[in-house]
Amino acid sequence: MQERSEEEEMVTPGEILGKGTDLIPGKGAYLSRDNHNTVYASLTGRRSLIPPPPDSPDQRPIVEVIGHKAHGPVPEPGCVVIARVTKVMARMASADIMCVGSKSVREKFSGIIRQQDVRATEIDKVDMHTSFRPGDIVKASVISLGDARAYHLSTAQNELGVVSAESMAGGTMVPISWTEMQCPLTGQIEQRKVAKVGA
Amino acid sequence: MAAKGGGAPPTYSPSPSSFKKSRPSIFTDVDWVRPDGRDFHQCRPAFLRTGAVNAASGSAYAEFGNTKVIVSIFGPRESKKAMMYSDTGRLNCNVSYTTFATPVRGQASENKELSSQLHKSLEGAIILDTFPKTTVDVFALVLESGGCDLPVVISCASLALADAGIMMYDLVAAVSVSCLGKNLVIDPVSEEENYQDGSLMITCLPSRNEVTQLTITGEWSTPKIHEAMELCLDACSKLGKIMRSCLKESTSTS
């Protein structure tokens, strides 16, 4: 059980937080490169100390700086993002990343979902048009930074996939199974790679 | 420079009267007073505020006497698609003058040079590995140019970066010194800058005691350079303290 103690005073970038022998730098702090071995802050915010877990060999507390202003998050490999599909092509779909975790981004980032990353089974038999349509909101995870143009996203897990979609008639569809969604206005069933939401 | 005799080819030579810049004799006098009444080694009082621009991720406004600068930071945001992939972040700086910034209407022409100098001084202070593949855009607008513009822009930009939450090794403080005859004058006004023999600008990280950029122009002797550098570094550390207290004040009241 880790309790972090947050201090009242603000620190600014370049301020000394402690010695490298007493503290491990966490997020918002760094260890200096010279031989003085001091931990400096790299953000403006409040200092917070996390005591080490009792069974780890290194008993130094971790010092972090919690930024005062939550600036827009940036997608990182391993995080779950919410994206809106913009284009669906034969072997990939491109999507605009709108939220990282639970925070919305200030300006959108581009991502692509390749055919082999749509689901975990039978990945070569995936038809992109029965998995996504333009305008769908999907929950995906970032596999890698990708290339200069887009992040690589994957929906190959049960909880990932289409979260909300509109039918051709214009109504918000209700998920029936992990491959189908139904429109409440017309009763039409459309195919999507649906995310498993809830317990 | 006397004009050449009749047999020489007609080359353009400046007329003798306009060759020597007519400096007011007060500048060469030992105990003259600076136009705004300051000491030779006294900087202008600084007014700094963060959070000036709501639309930007971070911003700052600085007023050093008559030099007024506003800097806004956008990012980290997606790099343009034309750029090549890079696994560290990128910094994009732009310095521009308003048309009413100088006494004569019309831009000061050193925009591109100022932008690249701002880039050089900031890139040593920002931890670029923390935002791979994205770009941080720095836009500086000089509202009024009252002398010593670039150091004010650099200090204001680093304050804005700290306000935006970009990870940095330290704040960047910049000060410049002008050499007027035998005198060293710190934080020159635009009048003093016009008549200077040389200028030296240092941008440094005050609490880590590291210099990110050193620019020397004009004629300098080595002992004068040493003296000017010490003056600048001392002024930078004082400016660093003022910047830190401004940051702490604005973040604790917001």
Side-chain angles (χ1 to χ4, degrees), chain A residues 132-144:
Chain A
F132 306 114
R133 285 285 166 92
D136 290 355
I137 311 288
V138 302
K139 196 178 236 182
S141 82
V142 180
I143 323 173
S144 77

Side-chain angles (χ1 to χ4, degrees), chain B residues 12-88:
Chain B
Y12 174 79
S13 53
S15 57
S17 58
S18 65
F19 177 71
K20 266 245 173 308
K21 271 188 305 191
S22 50
R23 260 207 304 224
S25 56
I26 57 164
F27 282 109
T28 51
D29 196 359
V30 175
D31 41 40
W32 59 274
V33 172
R34 291 174 76 170
D36 47 358
R38 277 185 288 154
D39 222 8
F40 283 179
H41 296 177
Q42 192 184 354
C43 291
R44 290 177 288 193
F47 174 82
L48 300 161
R49 275 287 182 275
T50 56
V53 177
N54 278 340
S57 308
S59 58
Y61 172 70
E63 220 178 87
F64 280 56
N66 278 338
T67 305
K68 301 178 176 71
V69 170
I70 193 166
V71 177
S72 25
I73 308 286
F74 290 92
R77 56 182 181 182
E78 211 172 17
S79 304
K80 287 207 189 71
K81 296 195 196 286
M83 305 235 192
M84 289 197 3
Y85 174 79
S86 86
D87 51 0
T88 57

Side-chain angles (χ1 to χ4, degrees), chain B residues 44 67 146-153 174-177 187-190 193:
Chain B
R44 290 177 288 193
T67 305
C148 202
D149 297 335
L150 184 58
V152 176
V153 166
V175 170
S176 84
V177 151
D187 209 7
V189 197
S190 45
E193 267 185 342

Side-chain angles (χ1 to χ4, degrees), chain A residues 13-14 30 107 110 145 147, chain B residues 77-78 133 169 207-208 244:
Chain A
Y30 68 97
E107 294 183 39
S110 302
L145 296 174
D147 55 13
Chain B
R77 56 182 181 182
E78 211 172 17
K133 213 174 98 134
Y169 290 115
S207 70
R208 297 196 46 152
R244 272 187 221 290

Side-chain angles (χ1 to χ4, degrees), chain B:
Chain B
M1 226 18 141
K4 296 217 185 241
T11 55
Y12 174 79
S13 53
S15 57
S17 58
S18 65
F19 177 71
K20 266 245 173 308
K21 271 188 305 191
S22 50
R23 260 207 304 224
S25 56
I26 57 164
F27 282 109
T28 51
D29 196 359
V30 175
D31 41 40
W32 59 274
V33 172
R34 291 174 76 170
D36 47 358
R38 277 185 288 154
D39 222 8
F40 283 179
H41 296 177
Q42 192 184 354
C43 291
R44 290 177 288 193
F47 174 82
L48 300 161
R49 275 287 182 275
T50 56
V53 177
N54 278 340
S57 308
S59 58
Y61 172 70
E63 220 178 87
F64 280 56
N66 278 338
T67 305
K68 301 178 176 71
V69 170
I70 193 166
V71 177
S72 25
I73 308 286
F74 290 92
R77 56 182 181 182
E78 211 172 17
S79 304
K80 287 207 189 71
K81 296 195 196 286
M83 305 235 192
M84 289 197 3
Y85 174 79
S86 86
D87 51 0
T88 57
R90 262 190 278 256
L91 181 65
N92 178 29
C93 295
N94 197 297
V95 178
S96 64
Y97 280 73
T98 52
T99 49
F100 45 84
T102 51
V104 176
R105 186 191 181 276
Q107 277 183 352
S109 53
E110 338 94 60
N111 282 355
K112 282 204 184 124
E113 212 182 278
L114 288 188
S115 305
S116 71
Q117 283 187 311
L118 176 62
H119 185 279
K120 281 198 204 96
S121 51
L122 289 178
E123 69 178 346
I126 300 184
I127 311 182
L128 292 168
D129 304 327
T130 52
F131 48 98
K133 213 174 98 134
T134 51
T135 298
V136 169
D137 288 320
V138 179
F139 293 110
L141 184 63
V142 179
L143 299 168
E144 192 180 331
S145 159
C148 202
D149 297 335
L150 184 58
V152 176
V153 166
I154 294 174
S155 312
C156 191
S158 89
L159 209 60
L161 283 168
D163 181 50
I166 310 278
M167 296 213 181
M168 298 197 287
Y169 290 115
D170 194 2
L171 295 174
V172 184
V175 170
S176 84
V177 151
S178 250
C179 175
L180 287 167
K182 290 192 289 268
N183 303 318
L184 281 180
V185 158
I186 204 172
D187 209 7
V189 197
S190 45
E191 228 185 297
E192 296 163 342
E193 267 185 342
N194 284 338
Y195 295 120
Q196 67 187 2
D197 286 330
S199 89
L200 182 145
M201 180 184 79
I202 285 193
T203 68
C204 81
L205 312 179
S207 70
R208 297 196 46 152
N209 231 12
E210 289 175 2
V211 173
T212 56
Q213 193 185 26
L214 167 67
T215 307
I216 308 184
T217 61
E219 47 175 300
W220 289 86
S221 60
T222 316
K224 270 216 144 27
I225 293 186
H226 288 305
E227 201 191 319
M229 276 177 62
E230 277 183 32
L231 259 181
C232 274
L233 288 172
D234 179 56
C236 277
S237 64
K238 293 199 184 110
L239 181 59
K241 290 199 190 88
I242 297 178
M243 284 164 70
R244 272 187 221 290
S245 64
C246 159
L247 260 183
K248 288 190 186 172
E249 217 182 275
S250 61
T251 50
S252 50
T253 52
S254 63

